[in-house]
Amino acid sequence: MIMKTLVTKLTDNMKILLRIMALCFFCLQLHAQQQVFVETESFASTGGWVIDQQSYAVMGSSYLMAHGMGRPVKDAETTVNFPAKGKYHVWVRTKDWAPFPKGPGKFVVSVNDVPLKPIFGESGDDAWKWYDGGEVNITAEQVKLSLKDLTGFNGRGDALLFTNTPGFTPPNEPSALMAFRRKLLHLT
């Protein structure tokens, strides 16, 4: 009987210890998740891009637009501090303003002068949403970001998101996006 009681107590204690260890591991995972949210209208230099507010009521934000009347405009550039080095997934919030079948407002995002592979603004979809920019390896705390206009025909960039959270997709639904934007920009 004593042996059975000891085994039961030991088993119960092991279960509690395993739960505590799992909770600690989960908390470490949460702490390690980093997200860097950059609004394009906050770039240090907008270059030839202009800040446009015509969709503010829809998005709750202004954005940069490359209005070069058919000639590519000067790059928009900024430097951003990252909280940690490592691999990040990049998301770019934009729209194809004239998708007939693909719009003329094409642009490229570069990280430390290395262009991301996708060309943005040519999706064939005129809705504002997040587009997958692929993965980058951040090797320094300060990172240079730039938007390069390819056509001069109104490319539009709202925001960039860098995340090291596996499988994360930023929200597109307006109220969820507004809450997400406020949280990451520390506006709440």
Side-chain angles (χ1 to χ4, degrees):
M1 185 68 157
I2 293 174
M3 186 61 109
K4 184 177 179 182
T5 303
L6 282 174
V7 169
T8 301
K9 283 189 177 192
L10 187 59
T11 303
D12 290 344
N13 288 340
M14 289 298 288
K15 287 179 183 176
I16 291 169
L17 182 61
L18 285 173
R19 286 182 186 139
I20 291 170
M21 288 174 57
L23 182 61
C24 289
F25 178 75
F26 179 72
C27 288
L28 283 173
Q29 288 291 94
L30 284 179
H31 179 70
Q33 294 175 357
Q34 304 289 337
Q35 293 180 327
V36 177
F37 189 88
V38 183
E39 299 235 55
T40 60
E41 66 271 21
S42 71
F43 272 34
S45 170
T46 56
W49 295 66
V50 296
I51 296 174
D52 196 323
Q53 300 172 352
Q54 67 180 324
S55 296
Y56 193 90
V58 175
M59 302 183 341
S61 174
S62 302
Y63 58 90
L64 286 184
M65 181 172 65
H67 187 58
M69 299 179 73
R71 292 191 178 136
V73 302
K74 185 178 175 192
D75 295 357
E77 299 177 336
T78 199
T79 302
V80 176
N81 290 325
F82 273 68
K85 298 175 185 175
K87 292 193 181 296
Y88 286 80
H89 199 91
V90 184
W91 292 93
V92 178
R93 187 165 165 77
T94 186
K95 71 180 281 182
D96 183 347
W97 70 274
F100 308 113
K102 290 186 176 184
K106 300 173 187 165
F107 67 98
V108 174
V109 175
S110 292
V111 177
N112 286 330
D113 297 318
V114 177
L116 301 179
K117 291 191 178 170
I119 294 176
F120 300 98
E122 67 167 8
S123 68
D125 187 342
D126 67 352
W128 282 103
K129 63 183 181 179
W130 292 101
Y131 289 87
D132 188 341
E135 193 173 87
V136 295
N137 189 26
I138 301 300
T139 59
E141 182 181 303
Q142 284 200 331
V143 175
K144 178 185 173 189
L145 304 176
S146 63
L147 303 180
K148 181 174 190 63
D149 175 31
L150 300 178
T151 64
F153 283 117
N154 298 331
R156 291 162 161 84
D158 173 36
L160 308 174
L161 175 70
F162 296 81
T163 181
N164 67 358
T165 306
F168 179 80
T169 302
N172 279 311
E173 190 274 320
S175 62
L177 174 61
M178 182 59 72
F180 180 70
R181 189 184 300 266
R182 287 177 168 267
K183 176 184 171 194
L184 291 182
L185 295 174
H186 307 289
L187 299 174
T188 56

Tab-separated table of all heavy atoms in Angstrom, residues 30-87:
chain	number	residue	atom	x	y	z
A	30	LEU	N	7.044	32.365	-27.064
A	30	LEU	CA	6.334	33.627	-27.239
A	30	LEU	C	7.294	34.810	-27.144
A	30	LEU	O	7.207	35.762	-27.913
A	30	LEU	CB	5.231	33.780	-26.185
A	30	LEU	CG	3.977	32.955	-26.400
A	30	LEU	CD1	3.001	33.205	-25.255
A	30	LEU	CD2	3.315	33.303	-27.720
A	31	HIS	N	8.212	34.734	-26.192
A	31	HIS	CA	9.153	35.827	-26.007
A	31	HIS	C	10.073	35.973	-27.226
A	31	HIS	O	10.453	37.076	-27.590
A	31	HIS	CB	9.979	35.598	-24.739
A	31	HIS	CG	10.976	36.665	-24.493
A	31	HIS	ND1	10.610	37.939	-24.125
A	31	HIS	CD2	12.324	36.673	-24.606
A	31	HIS	CE1	11.689	38.682	-23.996
A	31	HIS	NE2	12.741	37.941	-24.281
A	32	ALA	N	10.402	34.869	-27.860
A	32	ALA	CA	11.334	34.903	-28.987
A	32	ALA	C	10.679	35.401	-30.278
A	32	ALA	O	11.364	35.731	-31.223
A	32	ALA	CB	11.918	33.511	-29.216
A	33	GLN	N	9.359	35.472	-30.324
A	33	GLN	CA	8.681	35.908	-31.538
A	33	GLN	C	8.816	37.420	-31.678
A	33	GLN	O	8.506	38.167	-30.767
A	33	GLN	CB	7.214	35.489	-31.506
A	33	GLN	CG	7.058	33.990	-31.552
A	33	GLN	CD	5.616	33.555	-31.392
A	33	GLN	OE1	4.737	34.357	-31.194
A	33	GLN	NE2	5.399	32.257	-31.477
A	34	GLN	N	9.300	37.853	-32.835
A	34	GLN	CA	9.527	39.269	-33.097
A	34	GLN	C	8.746	39.692	-34.337
A	34	GLN	O	8.679	38.955	-35.308
A	34	GLN	CB	11.020	39.533	-33.340
A	34	GLN	CG	11.930	39.085	-32.230
A	34	GLN	CD	11.805	39.942	-30.983
A	34	GLN	OE1	11.379	41.081	-31.031
A	34	GLN	NE2	12.179	39.374	-29.853
A	35	GLN	N	8.209	40.898	-34.301
A	35	GLN	CA	7.553	41.483	-35.465
A	35	GLN	C	7.976	42.938	-35.572
A	35	GLN	O	7.977	43.659	-34.579
A	35	GLN	CB	6.027	41.369	-35.353
A	35	GLN	CG	5.564	39.930	-35.423
A	35	GLN	CD	4.061	39.787	-35.312
A	35	GLN	OE1	3.410	40.535	-34.635
A	35	GLN	NE2	3.534	38.786	-35.996
A	36	VAL	N	8.342	43.335	-36.789
A	36	VAL	CA	8.713	44.722	-37.064
A	36	VAL	C	7.752	45.242	-38.119
A	36	VAL	O	7.687	44.715	-39.223
A	36	VAL	CB	10.176	44.817	-37.559
A	36	VAL	CG1	10.528	46.256	-37.901
A	36	VAL	CG2	11.135	44.255	-36.509
A	37	PHE	N	6.993	46.276	-37.760
A	37	PHE	CA	5.964	46.851	-38.620
A	37	PHE	C	6.444	48.233	-39.064
A	37	PHE	O	6.770	49.074	-38.226
A	37	PHE	CB	4.653	46.970	-37.837
A	37	PHE	CG	3.467	47.360	-38.669
A	37	PHE	CD1	2.699	46.399	-39.300
A	37	PHE	CD2	3.108	48.687	-38.812
A	37	PHE	CE1	1.582	46.751	-40.057
A	37	PHE	CE2	2.004	49.053	-39.562
A	37	PHE	CZ	1.243	48.073	-40.191
A	38	VAL	N	6.494	48.452	-40.373
A	38	VAL	CA	6.990	49.721	-40.901
A	38	VAL	C	5.935	50.316	-41.825
A	38	VAL	O	5.586	49.710	-42.840
A	38	VAL	CB	8.303	49.523	-41.699
A	38	VAL	CG1	8.844	50.864	-42.166
A	38	VAL	CG2	9.337	48.764	-40.877
A	39	GLU	N	5.454	51.499	-41.478
A	39	GLU	CA	4.527	52.217	-42.353
A	39	GLU	C	5.369	52.964	-43.381
A	39	GLU	O	6.311	53.668	-43.024
A	39	GLU	CB	3.699	53.218	-41.543
A	39	GLU	CG	2.859	52.536	-40.483
A	39	GLU	CD	1.409	52.878	-40.601
A	39	GLU	OE1	0.854	52.665	-41.688
A	39	GLU	OE2	0.849	53.352	-39.613
A	40	THR	N	5.037	52.811	-44.653
A	40	THR	CA	5.867	53.430	-45.696
A	40	THR	C	5.873	54.946	-45.608
A	40	THR	O	6.884	55.573	-45.915
A	40	THR	CB	5.408	52.997	-47.099
A	40	THR	OG1	4.049	53.393	-47.286
A	40	THR	CG2	5.569	51.500	-47.290
A	41	GLU	N	4.762	55.541	-45.180
A	41	GLU	CA	4.731	57.000	-45.098
A	41	GLU	C	5.655	57.539	-44.011
A	41	GLU	O	5.919	58.742	-43.941
A	41	GLU	CB	3.302	57.531	-44.914
A	41	GLU	CG	2.641	57.174	-43.605
A	41	GLU	CD	1.880	55.861	-43.638
A	41	GLU	OE1	2.149	55.011	-44.503
A	41	GLU	OE2	1.008	55.679	-42.760
A	42	SER	N	6.193	56.646	-43.175
A	42	SER	CA	7.148	57.066	-42.146
A	42	SER	C	8.598	56.925	-42.605
A	42	SER	O	9.513	57.163	-41.817
A	42	SER	CB	6.922	56.267	-40.856
A	42	SER	OG	7.338	54.916	-41.039
A	43	PHE	N	8.828	56.534	-43.854
A	43	PHE	CA	10.199	56.415	-44.355
A	43	PHE	C	10.938	57.750	-44.171
A	43	PHE	O	10.345	58.816	-44.372
A	43	PHE	CB	10.197	56.043	-45.842
A	43	PHE	CG	10.162	54.554	-46.120
A	43	PHE	CD1	9.482	53.674	-45.303
A	43	PHE	CD2	10.807	54.046	-47.229
A	43	PHE	CE1	9.442	52.322	-45.566
A	43	PHE	CE2	10.787	52.694	-47.515
A	43	PHE	CZ	10.106	51.822	-46.685
A	44	ALA	N	12.204	57.681	-43.838
A	44	ALA	CA	13.008	58.893	-43.627
A	44	ALA	C	13.089	59.736	-44.894
A	44	ALA	O	13.063	60.963	-44.842
A	44	ALA	CB	14.409	58.512	-43.144
A	45	SER	N	13.203	59.076	-46.045
A	45	SER	CA	13.212	59.775	-47.331
A	45	SER	C	12.180	59.127	-48.233
A	45	SER	O	12.286	57.935	-48.546
A	45	SER	CB	14.596	59.699	-47.987
A	45	SER	OG	14.535	60.164	-49.320
A	46	THR	N	11.211	59.909	-48.669
A	46	THR	CA	10.200	59.355	-49.571
A	46	THR	C	10.669	59.391	-51.022
A	46	THR	O	9.975	58.883	-51.901
A	46	THR	CB	8.855	60.102	-49.434
A	46	THR	OG1	9.077	61.489	-49.670
A	46	THR	CG2	8.256	59.886	-48.053
A	47	GLY	N	11.861	59.960	-51.274
A	47	GLY	CA	12.387	60.015	-52.638
A	47	GLY	C	11.398	60.726	-53.542
A	47	GLY	O	10.909	61.802	-53.223
A	48	GLY	N	11.051	60.102	-54.659
A	48	GLY	CA	10.063	60.672	-55.574
A	48	GLY	C	8.655	60.190	-55.300
A	48	GLY	O	7.710	60.568	-55.986
A	49	TRP	N	8.502	59.317	-54.304
A	49	TRP	CA	7.186	58.821	-53.921
A	49	TRP	C	6.456	59.933	-53.155
A	49	TRP	O	7.079	60.753	-52.488
A	49	TRP	CB	7.320	57.594	-53.030
A	49	TRP	CG	7.929	56.381	-53.691
A	49	TRP	CD1	9.215	56.261	-54.138
A	49	TRP	CD2	7.296	55.145	-53.966
A	49	TRP	NE1	9.414	55.019	-54.666
A	49	TRP	CE2	8.245	54.303	-54.565
A	49	TRP	CE3	6.012	54.662	-53.747
A	49	TRP	CZ2	7.948	53.007	-54.963
A	49	TRP	CZ3	5.724	53.362	-54.132
A	49	TRP	CH2	6.680	52.550	-54.744
A	50	VAL	N	5.130	59.945	-53.234
A	50	VAL	CA	4.334	60.941	-52.514
A	50	VAL	C	3.444	60.235	-51.487
A	50	VAL	O	3.061	59.083	-51.680
A	50	VAL	CB	3.461	61.783	-53.472
A	50	VAL	CG1	4.340	62.603	-54.405
A	50	VAL	CG2	2.500	60.912	-54.267
A	51	ILE	N	3.148	60.947	-50.406
A	51	ILE	CA	2.225	60.409	-49.400
A	51	ILE	C	0.812	60.676	-49.882
A	51	ILE	O	0.437	61.815	-50.143
A	51	ILE	CB	2.477	61.048	-48.022
A	51	ILE	CG1	3.875	60.682	-47.526
A	51	ILE	CG2	1.405	60.589	-47.028
A	51	ILE	CD1	4.280	61.368	-46.239
A	52	ASP	N	0.040	59.596	-50.022
A	52	ASP	CA	-1.334	59.706	-50.508
A	52	ASP	C	-2.287	59.305	-49.387
A	52	ASP	O	-2.050	58.316	-48.699
A	52	ASP	CB	-1.534	58.798	-51.725
A	52	ASP	CG	-2.797	59.144	-52.502
A	52	ASP	OD1	-3.803	59.501	-51.871
A	52	ASP	OD2	-2.761	59.053	-53.731
A	53	GLN	N	-3.354	60.063	-49.228
A	53	GLN	CA	-4.308	59.811	-48.146
A	53	GLN	C	-5.693	59.435	-48.653
A	53	GLN	O	-6.631	59.342	-47.863
A	53	GLN	CB	-4.391	61.054	-47.262
A	53	GLN	CG	-3.069	61.403	-46.656
A	53	GLN	CD	-3.085	62.741	-45.939
A	53	GLN	OE1	-4.048	63.480	-46.006
A	53	GLN	NE2	-2.005	63.045	-45.263
A	54	GLN	N	-5.836	59.196	-49.946
A	54	GLN	CA	-7.177	58.977	-50.492
A	54	GLN	C	-7.865	57.723	-49.951
A	54	GLN	O	-9.089	57.637	-49.993
A	54	GLN	CB	-7.147	58.956	-52.018
A	54	GLN	CG	-6.405	57.790	-52.632
A	54	GLN	CD	-6.421	57.819	-54.138
A	54	GLN	OE1	-7.397	58.223	-54.733
A	54	GLN	NE2	-5.329	57.401	-54.742
A	55	SER	N	-7.129	56.752	-49.439
A	55	SER	CA	-7.750	55.533	-48.900
A	55	SER	C	-7.741	55.504	-47.376
A	55	SER	O	-7.993	54.461	-46.777
A	55	SER	CB	-7.019	54.298	-49.439
A	55	SER	OG	-7.170	54.208	-50.828
A	56	TYR	N	-7.455	56.636	-46.742
A	56	TYR	CA	-7.363	56.677	-45.282
A	56	TYR	C	-8.636	56.163	-44.611
A	56	TYR	O	-8.566	55.411	-43.642
A	56	TYR	CB	-7.044	58.098	-44.800
A	56	TYR	CG	-6.631	58.129	-43.356
A	56	TYR	CD1	-5.297	57.994	-42.999
A	56	TYR	CD2	-7.571	58.254	-42.338
A	56	TYR	CE1	-4.907	57.993	-41.672
A	56	TYR	CE2	-7.191	58.254	-41.012
A	56	TYR	CZ	-5.866	58.124	-40.684
A	56	TYR	OH	-5.473	58.112	-39.368
A	57	ALA	N	-9.796	56.548	-45.119
A	57	ALA	CA	-11.067	56.114	-44.522
A	57	ALA	C	-11.239	54.604	-44.600
A	57	ALA	O	-11.845	53.993	-43.725
A	57	ALA	CB	-12.231	56.809	-45.211
A	58	VAL	N	-10.675	53.982	-45.622
A	58	VAL	CA	-10.783	52.537	-45.805
A	58	VAL	C	-9.741	51.793	-44.976
A	58	VAL	O	-10.032	50.776	-44.352
A	58	VAL	CB	-10.604	52.162	-47.298
A	58	VAL	CG1	-10.581	50.660	-47.496
A	58	VAL	CG2	-11.695	52.809	-48.125
A	59	MET	N	-8.509	52.318	-44.960
A	59	MET	CA	-7.386	51.608	-44.350
A	59	MET	C	-6.985	52.128	-42.978
A	59	MET	O	-6.273	51.458	-42.252
A	59	MET	CB	-6.149	51.699	-45.253
A	59	MET	CG	-6.355	51.155	-46.613
A	59	MET	SD	-4.903	51.174	-47.680
A	59	MET	CE	-3.787	52.320	-46.990
A	60	GLY	N	-7.332	53.357	-42.671
A	60	GLY	CA	-6.886	53.960	-41.421
A	60	GLY	C	-5.435	54.376	-41.477
A	60	GLY	O	-4.780	54.549	-40.457
A	61	SER	N	-4.928	54.558	-42.690
A	61	SER	CA	-3.520	54.900	-42.862
A	61	SER	C	-3.307	55.534	-44.231
A	61	SER	O	-4.039	55.255	-45.179
A	61	SER	CB	-2.664	53.631	-42.760
A	61	SER	OG	-1.318	53.895	-43.049
A	62	SER	N	-2.296	56.378	-44.305
A	62	SER	CA	-1.830	56.886	-45.594
A	62	SER	C	-0.891	55.839	-46.184
A	62	SER	O	-0.596	54.830	-45.546
A	62	SER	CB	-1.068	58.196	-45.393
A	62	SER	OG	-1.892	59.145	-44.764
A	63	TYR	N	-0.372	56.106	-47.381
A	63	TYR	CA	0.570	55.187	-48.018
A	63	TYR	C	1.442	55.981	-48.975
A	63	TYR	O	1.192	57.154	-49.248
A	63	TYR	CB	-0.161	54.052	-48.747
A	63	TYR	CG	-1.131	54.521	-49.804
A	63	TYR	CD1	-0.715	54.696	-51.124
A	63	TYR	CD2	-2.457	54.794	-49.492
A	63	TYR	CE1	-1.597	55.139	-52.100
A	63	TYR	CE2	-3.341	55.229	-50.459
A	63	TYR	CZ	-2.904	55.400	-51.761
A	63	TYR	OH	-3.773	55.837	-52.724
A	64	LEU	N	2.489	55.338	-49.482
A	64	LEU	CA	3.335	55.975	-50.490
A	64	LEU	C	2.877	55.553	-51.881
A	64	LEU	O	2.514	54.400	-52.111
A	64	LEU	CB	4.805	55.582	-50.314
A	64	LEU	CG	5.546	56.221	-49.152
A	64	LEU	CD1	7.019	55.807	-49.176
A	64	LEU	CD2	5.417	57.727	-49.132
A	65	MET	N	2.929	56.528	-52.808
A	65	MET	CA	2.551	56.271	-54.197
A	65	MET	C	3.630	56.847	-55.111
A	65	MET	O	4.089	57.975	-54.903
A	65	MET	CB	1.200	56.920	-54.509
A	65	MET	CG	0.747	56.664	-55.933
A	65	MET	SD	-0.946	57.215	-56.258
A	65	MET	CE	-0.784	58.979	-56.056
A	66	ALA	N	4.019	56.075	-56.107
A	66	ALA	CA	5.030	56.501	-57.082
A	66	ALA	C	4.323	57.088	-58.296
A	66	ALA	O	3.973	56.377	-59.226
A	66	ALA	CB	5.899	55.316	-57.480
A	67	HIS	N	4.128	58.383	-58.265
A	67	HIS	CA	3.407	59.063	-59.341
A	67	HIS	C	4.417	59.780	-60.241
A	67	HIS	O	4.680	60.961	-60.098
A	67	HIS	CB	2.402	60.053	-58.743
A	67	HIS	CG	1.512	60.681	-59.759
A	67	HIS	ND1	0.687	59.946	-60.591
A	67	HIS	CD2	1.320	61.972	-60.084
A	67	HIS	CE1	0.025	60.768	-61.370
A	67	HIS	NE2	0.388	62.004	-61.098
A	68	GLY	N	4.997	59.024	-61.170
A	68	GLY	CA	6.039	59.569	-62.026
A	68	GLY	C	5.588	59.872	-63.435
A	68	GLY	O	6.413	60.165	-64.303
A	69	MET	N	4.297	59.755	-63.680
A	69	MET	CA	3.737	60.025	-65.006
A	69	MET	C	4.480	59.249	-66.101
A	69	MET	O	4.851	59.788	-67.135
A	69	MET	CB	3.724	61.524	-65.276
A	69	MET	CG	2.845	62.261	-64.256
A	69	MET	SD	2.787	64.026	-64.471
A	69	MET	CE	1.775	64.123	-65.931
A	70	GLY	N	4.725	57.969	-65.818
A	70	GLY	CA	5.366	57.098	-66.792
A	70	GLY	C	6.875	57.007	-66.674
A	70	GLY	O	7.503	56.239	-67.394
A	71	ARG	N	7.462	57.752	-65.752
A	71	ARG	CA	8.911	57.673	-65.514
A	71	ARG	C	9.142	57.246	-64.065
A	71	ARG	O	8.604	57.877	-63.144
A	71	ARG	CB	9.563	59.035	-65.755
A	71	ARG	CG	9.517	59.439	-67.194
A	71	ARG	CD	10.393	60.651	-67.431
A	71	ARG	NE	10.344	60.984	-68.851
A	71	ARG	CZ	10.212	62.197	-69.312
A	71	ARG	NH1	10.152	63.223	-68.484
A	71	ARG	NH2	10.175	62.408	-70.604
A	72	PRO	N	9.938	56.187	-63.848
A	72	PRO	CA	10.187	55.741	-62.478
A	72	PRO	C	10.722	56.883	-61.604
A	72	PRO	O	11.538	57.677	-62.042
A	72	PRO	CB	11.233	54.642	-62.650
A	72	PRO	CG	10.970	54.103	-64.025
A	72	PRO	CD	10.575	55.313	-64.843
A	73	VAL	N	10.215	56.937	-60.384
A	73	VAL	CA	10.617	57.977	-59.440
A	73	VAL	C	11.786	57.492	-58.585
A	73	VAL	O	12.102	56.299	-58.549
A	73	VAL	CB	9.432	58.410	-58.545
A	73	VAL	CG1	8.266	58.919	-59.391
A	73	VAL	CG2	8.987	57.286	-57.624
A	74	LYS	N	12.409	58.438	-57.898
A	74	LYS	CA	13.533	58.135	-57.006
A	74	LYS	C	13.051	57.223	-55.875
A	74	LYS	O	11.931	57.347	-55.382
A	74	LYS	CB	14.099	59.440	-56.442
A	74	LYS	CG	15.340	59.261	-55.606
A	74	LYS	CD	15.882	60.598	-55.126
A	74	LYS	CE	17.056	60.365	-54.201
A	74	LYS	NZ	17.436	61.579	-53.496
A	75	ASP	N	13.928	56.311	-55.433
A	75	ASP	CA	13.607	55.343	-54.382
A	75	ASP	C	13.234	56.028	-53.071
A	75	ASP	O	13.819	57.054	-52.696
A	75	ASP	CB	14.795	54.423	-54.098
A	75	ASP	CG	15.162	53.534	-55.275
A	75	ASP	OD1	14.464	53.574	-56.311
A	75	ASP	OD2	16.159	52.792	-55.151
A	76	ALA	N	12.293	55.431	-52.354
A	76	ALA	CA	11.990	55.793	-50.973
A	76	ALA	C	12.884	54.921	-50.093
A	76	ALA	O	13.040	53.723	-50.363
A	76	ALA	CB	10.525	55.546	-50.662
A	77	GLU	N	13.488	55.528	-49.061
A	77	GLU	CA	14.440	54.786	-48.225
A	77	GLU	C	14.274	55.137	-46.752
A	77	GLU	O	13.897	56.253	-46.408
A	77	GLU	CB	15.874	55.115	-48.637
A	77	GLU	CG	16.212	54.745	-50.059
A	77	GLU	CD	17.622	55.151	-50.463
A	77	GLU	OE1	18.197	56.087	-49.856
A	77	GLU	OE2	18.145	54.522	-51.391
A	78	THR	N	14.612	54.160	-45.928
A	78	THR	CA	14.634	54.389	-44.485
A	78	THR	C	15.533	53.350	-43.836
A	78	THR	O	15.937	52.371	-44.476
A	78	THR	CB	13.211	54.339	-43.882
A	78	THR	OG1	13.217	54.989	-42.618
A	78	THR	CG2	12.683	52.927	-43.754
A	79	THR	N	15.830	53.571	-42.578
A	79	THR	CA	16.590	52.612	-41.776
A	79	THR	C	15.725	52.237	-40.577
A	79	THR	O	15.102	53.102	-39.959
A	79	THR	CB	17.922	53.230	-41.291
A	79	THR	OG1	18.670	53.634	-42.438
A	79	THR	CG2	18.732	52.228	-40.498
A	80	VAL	N	15.687	50.951	-40.273
A	80	VAL	CA	14.853	50.443	-39.193
A	80	VAL	C	15.718	49.617	-38.255
A	80	VAL	O	16.613	48.890	-38.703
A	80	VAL	CB	13.720	49.559	-39.770
A	80	VAL	CG1	12.888	48.936	-38.676
A	80	VAL	CG2	12.849	50.358	-40.712
A	81	ASN	N	15.450	49.724	-36.959
A	81	ASN	CA	16.142	48.899	-35.970
A	81	ASN	C	15.351	47.616	-35.729
A	81	ASN	O	14.139	47.672	-35.517
A	81	ASN	CB	16.304	49.652	-34.649
A	81	ASN	CG	17.294	50.783	-34.769
A	81	ASN	OD1	18.280	50.684	-35.495
A	81	ASN	ND2	17.045	51.865	-34.071
A	82	PHE	N	16.036	46.491	-35.756
A	82	PHE	CA	15.427	45.198	-35.489
A	82	PHE	C	15.768	44.767	-34.069
A	82	PHE	O	16.895	44.998	-33.609
A	82	PHE	CB	15.927	44.152	-36.497
A	82	PHE	CG	15.123	44.114	-37.758
A	82	PHE	CD1	15.158	45.167	-38.651
A	82	PHE	CD2	14.313	43.032	-38.040
A	82	PHE	CE1	14.407	45.150	-39.809
A	82	PHE	CE2	13.550	42.998	-39.197
A	82	PHE	CZ	13.600	44.050	-40.079
A	83	PRO	N	14.832	44.120	-33.378
A	83	PRO	CA	15.082	43.704	-32.000
A	83	PRO	C	16.020	42.500	-31.887
A	83	PRO	O	16.629	42.286	-30.851
A	83	PRO	CB	13.691	43.352	-31.477
A	83	PRO	CG	12.921	42.977	-32.695
A	83	PRO	CD	13.472	43.820	-33.806
A	84	ALA	N	16.122	41.732	-32.966
A	84	ALA	CA	16.961	40.529	-32.939
A	84	ALA	C	17.373	40.163	-34.363
A	84	ALA	O	16.638	40.407	-35.311
A	84	ALA	CB	16.196	39.364	-32.308
A	85	LYS	N	18.550	39.587	-34.472
A	85	LYS	CA	19.019	39.088	-35.764
A	85	LYS	C	18.328	37.753	-36.049
A	85	LYS	O	17.796	37.119	-35.157
A	85	LYS	CB	20.536	38.892	-35.730
A	85	LYS	CG	21.305	40.170	-35.496
A	85	LYS	CD	22.788	39.877	-35.348
A	85	LYS	CE	23.544	41.138	-34.994
A	85	LYS	NZ	24.967	40.865	-34.737
A	86	GLY	N	18.372	37.342	-37.323
A	86	GLY	CA	17.806	36.043	-37.669
A	86	GLY	C	16.949	36.101	-38.906
A	86	GLY	O	16.897	37.109	-39.609
A	87	LYS	N	16.261	35.002	-39.180
A	87	LYS	CA	15.403	34.900	-40.355
A	87	LYS	C	14.034	35.508	-40.050
A	87	LYS	O	13.448	35.233	-39.009
A	87	LYS	CB	15.259	33.447	-40.777
A	87	LYS	CG	16.544	32.856	-41.322
A	87	LYS	CD	16.289	31.550	-42.021
A	87	LYS	CE	17.563	30.943	-42.532
A	87	LYS	NZ	18.226	31.708	-43.542
